[in-house]
Amino acid sequence: MVALHLVPSFSVCLLPVPHGAGQEDAEPVTGRPRSLRANSLFSEDELVEDYYDAPPANSGSSWSDNGPSPRLPAPAFSGSSPGTLGDGMEGTAATAPLSPTIKAGWLDKNPPQGSYIYQKRWVKLDADYLRYFDSEKDAYSKRFIPVSSISRVTSIGDQKFEVITNNRNFVFRAESDADRNEWIRTLQQIAEERKSKALERTLMSPTTSGAADPADKSGFLELRGFKHKLFVAVAGDKVFLYKNAEDYRLGIGITYIEMNVGNVKEVDRRGFDLTTPYRIFSFSADSDQEKEEWVEAMQQSIAEALSNSEVAERIWVVESNRFCADCGSPKPDWASINLCVVICKRCAGEHRGLGPGITKVRSLKMDRKVWTEELIELFHQIGNAVANQFWAANVPPSEAINPASSSQERRRFLIAKYREGKYRRYHPLFGNQEELDRALCAAVTTSDLAETQALLFCGAAVTCATGDPQCPTPLALAEKSGQRLQMEFLLHNKNSETPRLEVGTSEEKPYSVPLPSVTHNGFLYKTPSMAKPVGERKGQEEFSRRWCTLQDGVLSYYENDRNAVPNGEIKVEEIVCLVNNPPNAHGIESTFEIYIESERLYLFGLESPDSAREWLKSIAKSFVHPRAEELLALDFERIGRLHYKGGLNLERAKEGWFALAGSTLHVCFEDSERQEPLQLRKLQELSIQGDNEVLVLVERRRTLYIQGERKLDFLGWVHAIQKAAGSAGDTLSEQQLTESDVPLLVDRCIDYITQCGLTSEGIYRKSGQNSKTTSLLEMLRRDARSVRLKEGEHQVDDVANTLKRFFRDLGDGLFTRQWGQDWLRATALEDEEAKISEYRRLLGTLPTVNRATLKALINHLFRVQRFSGENQMNTHNLAIVFGPTLFQTDGKDYKAGRVVEDLISHYVKIFNVNDQEMKKQQDEIMAIMKMREAASSGTQQAGDFICTVYLEEKKTEAEQHVKIPATMTAEELTFEILDRRKIVMKEKDYWSCFEVNEREEAERPLHYSEKVLPILHCLGTESYLVVKKQMSMENMLIYLASRVGDCKHGMMKFREERNLLGLGLSTGFHDRYFILNHTCLRLYKEVRSLKQRTPLLENSHKPEKEWPVRNLKVYLGMKKKLRPPTCWGFTVFYENEKHEKQQWYLCCDTQADLREWFATFLHVQNGGALWPSETSKVRASRSQQDSRLGNISLIPLRGNESEMRNSVAAFATDPLTLLRNV
Ligand SMILES: [Zn+2]
């Protein structure tokens, strides 16, 4: 007899799920030591039983060699039978399989061949499997037979009955005829239902279509104690054990292990243990590589199993949510998120059939991202109890359904219940639309969700007019009243239909937007579906040829074109993404991937690209919403739906349709009419937040958050978008670009040279360090978006050489191969005018990006030569350097230089530079010249810096170039700017200089006495200075003058900057209590201290954190991507003596509160002096009014114009008058 290692091992608690207090009672912990596993007494056939084979083919099987087995010692597990109605929640995930038992009992199992002794077996039937066990306490079966494989159940006399599957029969003997008949009846019924269901739906569960198809990993493994290898399959949240591959194919296995109780541990090079509270399975793989794959697959399966229970357990906290709202099945793990009912899988299937206008079905298990805090809370508040009080107020017992009801019964019942509202409790106002609507408007401002439910489903219009212009919809009313749950409920029912009794043809009526019915068929190659991205290239042998049909919203695949029953189906409404792989990505020329809602993907292939394209178009057309049909015309590589947030409302995610074609992401937003293209290469930022949860795309003045609702397709999108947003090759148009179509790389270099290198001698002729140039170029090429060139870090000549190297190596060259010779030939034209017009003609033939780049470069060289007195690089010298570089010649052809020389000399004419542009150029050069002169006359102090400062907003007309001496204060700079633009400073015009950060998301008014130069030195390249009125100053002064005491305390929402390594989850905002006094800012976690507002308070508790005020730098506003809970926020930077930096974010509830905190900060930091008292005279005398400039409107701090009202105005006394005056 072979020793086995499958022992109960209760002493080891392996469950990451929390154990409830009462759980010890349900699962007594025995003291059985783990060492038992080494000398287990079990034999092979304790686990795997013989079977009765109708054909003798397998009769010689070693599995039945051993004869009758000794009785198992009963495991010490004495919990109630898993899955029965009565076992409640105490055991939770630890003990209960997800599928409820339909029938169970002791039966005699036909003896194996060569034996005459019947074996007593505990037989259990659930919706998916017929299983038998040694005892009712066993967790692992000796045999499982999928209900779907049962073709017949017949009576064969002597209280015996036979379960007939496609090629194996199992004979059982009951204790009585009655018992036998009951078994037959139940089995037949379940098998029958399964059969009818299999046709409709095979994808609801990984086990329904036979285990063979959706396995994440399958193959042979040694299981310690067994002579022969077992065939093991990891699928979804279970691990299945089969005797051999043939059994696997047939779906008839030994047992399966629910991975919610599993734990995987590597033991040695090839061995690993799968440990459960009941047994330890010691596996051994063929190689360590294989072992790693198995361990990974099993770990993933555990993760999947555990993620299940997380949401479900929270929903199940409410007693009534533990049973299906419709049929009463225990542990329902599906839900209708608009009806707020928790339902079982079988009812969920029928719910889907009603259409999303009636019920929106989501899984507690798989649709994790849907389950926001609000929605879970809503299920606590409404849930099955409150929902059924309304929906099932009058159900005649004859029409009610139970866990064993058939599909037809369920369907009939659910149509009556939800579509027709037949059993509902009518609201007294039923029939009176106006009254209903009015009542709804009232109800949503209260917490009475039951009333809202009753009104909504008795006809009140969710979008009815409230008559309140401030809050035109019930949703807005609910928002204003702070009723989050009402909002959540209204949102999920935005498009819900009112139930009504239909006469006659109710079943045919379309309840959702009908998708066009697309029909397509043919042979496709297919691999088994996967729960992971297609990691590696699939060889042709991994594909099987299948006959596929796309019809009536279902893509079915068959063994061959003569089969009537499909091997499997994909419902098009469940498709979330379709990916067209590049040619030859796999062993078959054209392949495409289909992603479905339940996190699986299907890989299909075809040898003919044309036919593949037809399939793609047909599938796309069948699942893409009609409002996004514009996308279908694109040559997309990826198309699908995703959740996003953007614009003003960051609270709520919306559903949009996205298509990626080349480097453009086309989006059909929920509320827009047309698709909008996003140029990914022109993004200012592209980053991932959280644990691969949100993709942030920042465009000029717009930020889009794409949310990873599902993991599988989202990761694919992230990858594809990142790739499309990077440079794709070595030609100009393949680079990351600026708004004006100049490669970001070129722009970064030119900018840097302009700031730091215009007067550098021999600029562009001197060579930099080769290694530095190489690495800088590589860095910029990889992702110029993330590179910031800084003085001190980079040498001017290295940057100059990087730019030259880029052009020299450019694929196709700046002038293009096609036209390059024409440019060179143009130099031969003697007539100057003719030559210029030829250059202009040639310029017109260049692709947009080349043209924009050439202009930017020549403009730059034009500036460089203006400084030839300093840098020795006149037009001719520049032309000698750049000619061969740009034309990629060896330098012997003088014509290349001539072209460049001509372009610089005739820059204005050739590039059609208009007066305004020229003026700007002149101004800038003048400013630079002035600075040079000042320098040469010796008045300039060391460290002088030239800087662009804006007046009121960042736009070219408002630019001023100012030399910043080391001594210059913010007040002096403000004077300088106002003076230049001749602006009179009126009383109570608090003109100040602000430091505005990169995305105009945060700003800081400089204190009047603050020195400007140090600020410039640490200013990010995209930050800038602007002089404008400080709208809040007067109110701050009034506040400070009127308050009592000089400290402030109160609640704010607090968030820390995440770990810079990018690991760990985002922390979000949390309420904290703050005290700011004259020396420090303190943070308290405890809210209770709020109640005693005494000055003693600050000494009475120890703060959680404390910072000296002097070391803080406070900015108004914060990064939008943090999704601040209110728009009254500020960002605080802290740097200690050791130069360690921290940064965090604070949000106030009101504008006044923000103003008071900010005023207190300024007060404390500047010893009370917020505004100079003696300056107004001086200032007023210096300027006269310039009405035009005085009227320039303020720019939004954040994004678009309406956002402006929220942010800029946040700090103004009366934002509306401010805007009206503009
Ligand atoms: Zn149900």
Side-chain angles (χ1 to χ4, degrees), residues 695-709:
L695 185 65
V696 186
L697 295 92
V698 183
E699 245 196 341
R700 211 176 127 72
R701 298 279 157 98
R702 169 160 85 175
T703 304
L704 180 68
Y705 307 89
I706 300 180
Q707 298 197 306
E709 195 196 0

Side-chain angles (χ1 to χ4, degrees), residues 324-329 332 342-348 401-403 410:
C324 172
D326 298 323
C327 75
S329 288
V342 191
I343 51 182
C344 70
K345 191 157 88 179
R346 302 181 72 200
C347 289
I401 54 171
N402 57 56
R410 279 171 212 266

